[in-house]
Amino acid sequence: MKTTTGNELYFVNYENLSRLAFQFVPMEVGEKREQSVSEHKVVGRNHPVLQSTGGKSTMSLAINLYGEDVAQRAKFFSQFTMRDELNSSPPRLKIVWAGLIPDNSLWVVKSASPVFSLFNPQDNFAPRMCIVSLDLIQWTPYNYSFNDVKLR
């Protein structure tokens, strides 16, 4: 598979270490950090007392795939939305992108939405192009502090 990234940007399945290189650099990568806040009403107070109850970091991006095996490569992302065992933790994905994503971060695929196009009539109408929209949630084994996020 030809890439425009020199195989320097890629996804790694953290469970079995299989990997898929970015074929093209995504046009956009959206990041979002949100906090869950609980409101506690207090008698005689004009505003509720606010308490943080956690939060999450998310990322969204669209991956462009082009070539003869796009349906198979799109399944690389779909596999992360499936479970093998009832009580197992979700599979984790590592994204190797030194200029954007910290080395120690792992992600869980919340959704993978492939859209296929350029169907080839000479090859049983197999698709030649696919855009996979990914919504990811950061997975972490510990509680990040203010300074951890600030320094990233």
Side-chain angles (χ1 to χ4, degrees), residues 27-142:
M27 293 294 289
E28 298 177 330
V29 175
E31 288 186 284
K32 181 179 179 183
R33 173 72 192 159
E34 62 184 56
Q35 177 175 221
S36 300
V37 177
S38 178
E39 296 183 11
H40 302 282
K41 295 179 182 176
V42 178
V43 176
R45 193 175 158 104
N46 292 325
H47 299 296
V49 174
L50 303 177
Q51 181 176 3
S52 175
T53 58
K56 62 182 175 181
S57 295
T58 61
M59 185 181 352
S60 61
L61 65 154
I63 304 300
N64 294 311
L65 304 172
Y66 185 78
E68 294 181 2
D69 59 346
V70 296
Q72 187 63 34
R73 286 185 280 149
K75 288 179 183 177
F76 178 86
F77 301 106
S78 298
Q79 73 179 333
F80 289 96
T81 63
M82 306 300 280
R83 299 282 12 99
D84 286 337
E85 299 174 17
L86 183 61
N87 295 320
S88 64
S89 62
R92 289 156 292 175
L93 177 71
K94 182 174 179 58
I95 304 170
V96 177
W97 188 332
L100 179 65
I101 299 168
D103 284 344
N104 63 346
S105 65
L106 296 174
W107 300 85
V108 170
V109 177
K110 184 175 180 184
S111 68
S113 304
V115 176
F116 298 98
S117 60
L118 298 179
F119 299 97
N120 184 358
Q122 285 82 30
D123 189 18
N124 295 322
F125 294 94
R128 292 288 188 242
M129 185 172 176
C130 180
I131 299 174
V132 182
S133 297
L134 294 175
D135 290 315
L136 309 171
I137 300 173
Q138 188 174 17
W139 180 90
T140 178
Y142 64 94

